[in-house]
Amino acid sequence: MKTYPDFVPNFRGKRLAVELVVFGVVQGVGFRPFIYRLAHDLGYKGWVKNIGFGVEIHIERDKKSDFQDFLFALQNNIPPLAQIREITVMPASYIGLKRFVIKKSKQEESFVFISPDISVCANCQAEMMLPADRRFHYPFINCTDCGPRYTIVQSLPYDRKQTTMKRFIMCPSCKKEYTNPLDRRYHAQPIACPICGPQIKLVKSRTRKEIKSGIEKASSLLKQGKILAVKGLGGFHLVCDARNATAIKTLRKIKNRKTKPLALMAKNMTTVQKYAHISPAEKSQLLSPRRPIVLLKKRKNIHHIAPHLDEMGIMLPYTPLHYLLLENIDLIVATSSNQKDAPIMKDDNEGIDDLCDYILSHNRPIHIRADDSVMKVVNDQPLFLRRARGYVPYPQPVPKALKVDHHILALGAELKDTISVYKNGYVITSQFLGDLDEYQNYRYFEEIVQHLTKVFEVDPKMVVSDLHPDFHTTRFAKKSQIPHLQVQHHFAHILAVLLEHEYPIDRKVLGVSFDGYGYGPDGKAWGGEFLVADYDGYTRFAHFAEVQLPGGDLAAKQPWRMALSYLRNAYGENLPVLKAMQKLGSKKINGVLEMMKQNINTPLTSSCGRLFDAVSFIAGISPAEMEFEAEAPMRLESAAAPRIRGRYGFEISEDPSSKGCHKISFQKMIRAIVRETEHGIPVADISAKFHKTLAFAIANAAEKAKQQHEVNAVALTGGVFLNRRLVQEATKVLERRGFTVLRPTQYSPNDESISVGQIAYALGLSQKKK
């Protein structure tokens, strides 16, 4: 049953007419034809139209009514993609209308939500496969229940003339469907057919010579080992045959990606189950209209797809084009078409020719680029690695006590950035934008700031950024000439969780924020943080004991540096001789040891991410240099034995440099891991015990926080909590000890959620100033 916040009609008794304003995801989802059919079925006259703030409805009868039949149906029978957030019901004057009609949209100040891009529905998919249907094998078939939305919208209200479909003039048959309120395609803005709609074109890259038989030929080329760029909803995929090792190696060379995992697209669930283990919750996510990439445990390994890892990312087709392409090949690699660290390409003229042999494109423009969303399923709930297509721009309500009248823009951090805007009690967060130290991503960031503020008519009176003075987002905010707030990185992480769960503003939480780096107010590199927090502020309750970061940023790329740092911290100058270190050579090792001894370019860090790097290398599973972020921790997680009884030691003590703060030392654990590697204990056991040790460190710190600050809830956040094993272990131990565990399920725990937390901080501060 579809539900929405309770409302009380602003009248009593029976009347001849009422007006309703419905606020939520109600444009582009078949809501107006639903209202039309409902009014006809119940015998009401009147009208419905899109307005800037949602949908406006006038209903009347020549006999007085309480309209409960209409209101009940509105609550229980709305279209599958609609989401109602608020309803206002007011008495209205009786006009004496003769019928119910759908009026043209009203152009005015806008804050209406819009559906994300949605997978092709079962009805359209079935029609597309019927030889007698006029849309047989048409790769742009859609209706009000499916198809492109966010990526084609240029402005609101959501009407065809406000989308990239405006260039395609409907043929008489499409026009008839579009204007018939009883048709499934009534006001389906991307409506099209082979006569009047977008068309597919297959061309040879570089020469742009057109190849006949488009999609069918494309499938044939994939079987021959060719690399194709295929234009989808939010950009191009680079695709190849997932079982052709030579093609995959070629693709990896093109993408400059040696070991970083590649995503797969499977024809159907039968194919998925052949290669992966699937829980009911994972199956539900795979089959959902949002069609994310889901990371699944391997059943059967496919060479070169996700080396050194125990899981791989798989998605099902989500556009008609995908289904047609996979008719004759059941498993393909489908990775974003971008140069290393750059945004996904959406247009034919962005350099796509350099990445492929052939291009399967079309002439429906993409206005806003968006990558595929990526998630794990942990304890039957989503754990987002990347939130984009299929989920953006769904709104997030804020607690009523935090609502303010002015608009807010939050710019996020620097890596894995998103932006968020606040208006009228809701937060809209952008898709994943990437790392802003790459110029093209920064341009993408600027593009999305402009787009979201334009589409949702946000006029920010406040801009929020990270505390770091040198982030691109901080510099952007300072140049904006808008009142500027800065928020500590890990505090923002925690606030994002509180906002998502609409956590009460008068209750504190222990926020456990683990990541690779965040700028602390003391200027140090934070990253293993325990903050007692609410919307008003935070107290640093505990942190990982600081160790040196030899070489600064270089230590985040070369795990052996952090291994040396932790070994030196645990053993002093008498370091054990480890097998993992021997291949590095004494010159490298002695140079870094001398650097630490002399305190040259070795800032202190409390980073949990760097602890993972160190343990992964000491255990002998990490490469000396990582190709991609978190490669060493991911290998360590993948190696963990399913069950283990033991754990390692650690020590929680008072931090003498900060009154009331504690530090957690893992010297005992490091020494134990070294002993076990020397004795040949399997890496699987070491990894499992390491994860359990961290879980107990979290729980023990939570017990102390409960005693001193009376907190009963723990929020787990930060990029380290993308680790399935750690989330499961920590949740289990905390719940056994009576704590409520909160974690992000609608956003990623990594830096994508920073902008959400920044909005929460600005709202809390605004309330304080009232």
Side-chain angles (χ1 to χ4, degrees), residues 268-279:
N268 49 37
M269 286 301 301
T270 301
T271 305
V272 176
Q273 289 167 333
K274 189 185 299 183
Y275 293 97
H277 298 279
I278 311 171
S279 71

Side-chain angles (χ1 to χ4, degrees), residues 523-586:
K524 292 182 179 179
W526 288 18
E529 307 306 315
F530 298 77
L531 309 182
V532 174
D534 58 18
Y535 295 101
D536 284 343
Y538 70 92
T539 300
R540 194 184 193 193
F541 177 74
H543 59 86
F544 284 7
E546 295 172 335
V547 297
Q548 290 173 293
L549 192 68
D553 288 345
L554 198 57
K557 298 176 181 177
Q558 299 177 345
W560 63 271
R561 290 174 178 266
M562 288 312 303
L564 279 177
S565 181
Y566 268 98
L567 289 170
R568 187 169 183 267
N569 178 262
Y571 289 95
E573 302 302 326
N574 299 313
L575 269 61
V577 179
L578 293 181
K579 185 178 179 181
M581 289 289 180
Q582 291 174 359
K583 56 189 173 185
L584 292 171
S586 58

Side-chain angles (χ1 to χ4, degrees), residues 141-378:
I141 189 170
N142 67 86
C143 69
T144 53
D145 290 337
C146 68
R149 297 290 191 277
Y150 176 65
T151 54
I152 64 169
V153 170
Q154 296 171 316
S155 61
L156 292 177
Y158 177 65
D159 284 321
R160 192 179 181 94
K161 64 183 179 182
Q162 315 269 45
T163 76
T164 61
M165 284 297 295
K166 62 188 174 185
R167 64 169 66 181
F168 299 100
I169 308 303
M170 281 181 267
C171 67
S173 295
C174 284
K175 189 74 172 179
K176 183 178 179 181
E177 293 170 327
Y178 183 85
T179 53
N180 179 5
L182 301 178
D183 194 283
R184 196 175 88 249
R185 292 188 172 89
Y186 176 77
H187 279 215
Q189 305 307 337
I191 188 173
C193 75
I195 295 172
C196 66
Q199 300 295 321
I200 283 288
K201 181 186 285 189
L202 176 66
V203 300
K204 184 87 169 65
S205 65
R206 298 178 180 85
T207 66
R208 293 296 175 105
K209 180 183 177 182
E210 188 168 353
I211 312 295
K212 294 181 179 180
S213 303
I215 299 172
E216 186 178 345
K217 180 63 176 177
S219 295
S220 174
L221 290 168
L222 289 174
K223 290 179 179 179
Q224 295 171 32
K226 303 300 182 183
I227 311 296
L228 270 68
V230 179
K231 189 174 181 180
L233 284 177
F236 282 92
H237 282 124
L238 294 180
V239 307
C240 69
D241 185 346
R243 298 187 188 89
N244 188 321
T246 302
I248 296 170
K249 287 178 182 177
T250 302
L251 178 58
R252 284 194 172 279
K253 188 175 180 181
I254 289 170
K255 291 267 292 182
N256 191 21
R257 182 185 282 196
K258 294 178 182 177
T259 58
K260 189 175 181 180
L262 297 167
L264 299 173
M265 182 180 286
K267 181 177 183 177
N268 49 37
M269 286 301 301
T270 301
T271 305
V272 176
Q273 289 167 333
K274 189 185 299 183
Y275 293 97
H277 298 279
I278 311 171
S279 71
E282 288 168 337
K283 182 177 180 180
S284 176
Q285 293 294 344
L286 278 169
L287 291 169
S288 78
R290 292 164 182 78
R291 286 293 200 274
I293 297 170
V294 180
L295 298 190
L296 304 170
K297 292 290 184 182
K298 293 177 181 176
R299 182 190 298 273
K300 181 179 178 182
N301 188 47
I302 304 175
H303 294 301
H304 312 299
I305 295 299
H308 311 294
L309 302 178
D310 66 341
E311 58 188 11
M312 54 187 173
I314 305 180
M315 60 182 153
L316 292 172
Y318 57 85
T319 71
L321 174 57
H322 293 149
Y323 277 101
L324 295 172
L325 187 64
L326 269 69
E327 270 199 288
N328 298 311
I329 184 168
D330 65 352
L331 190 66
I332 59 173
V333 173
T335 186
S336 299
S337 60
N338 58 332
Q339 299 286 357
K340 189 174 175 64
D341 298 327
I344 186 171
M345 296 179 183
K346 70 180 180 68
D347 297 322
D348 293 43
N349 60 357
E350 292 184 320
I352 194 70
D353 297 73
D354 297 332
L355 304 180
C356 61
D357 300 311
Y358 294 88
I359 303 167
L360 185 62
S361 188
H362 57 75
N363 58 343
R364 183 181 68 198
I366 298 170
H367 185 61
I368 295 297
R369 67 190 84 223
D371 281 282
D372 295 314
S373 294
V374 186
M375 69 164 64
K376 300 180 182 182
V377 177
V378 180

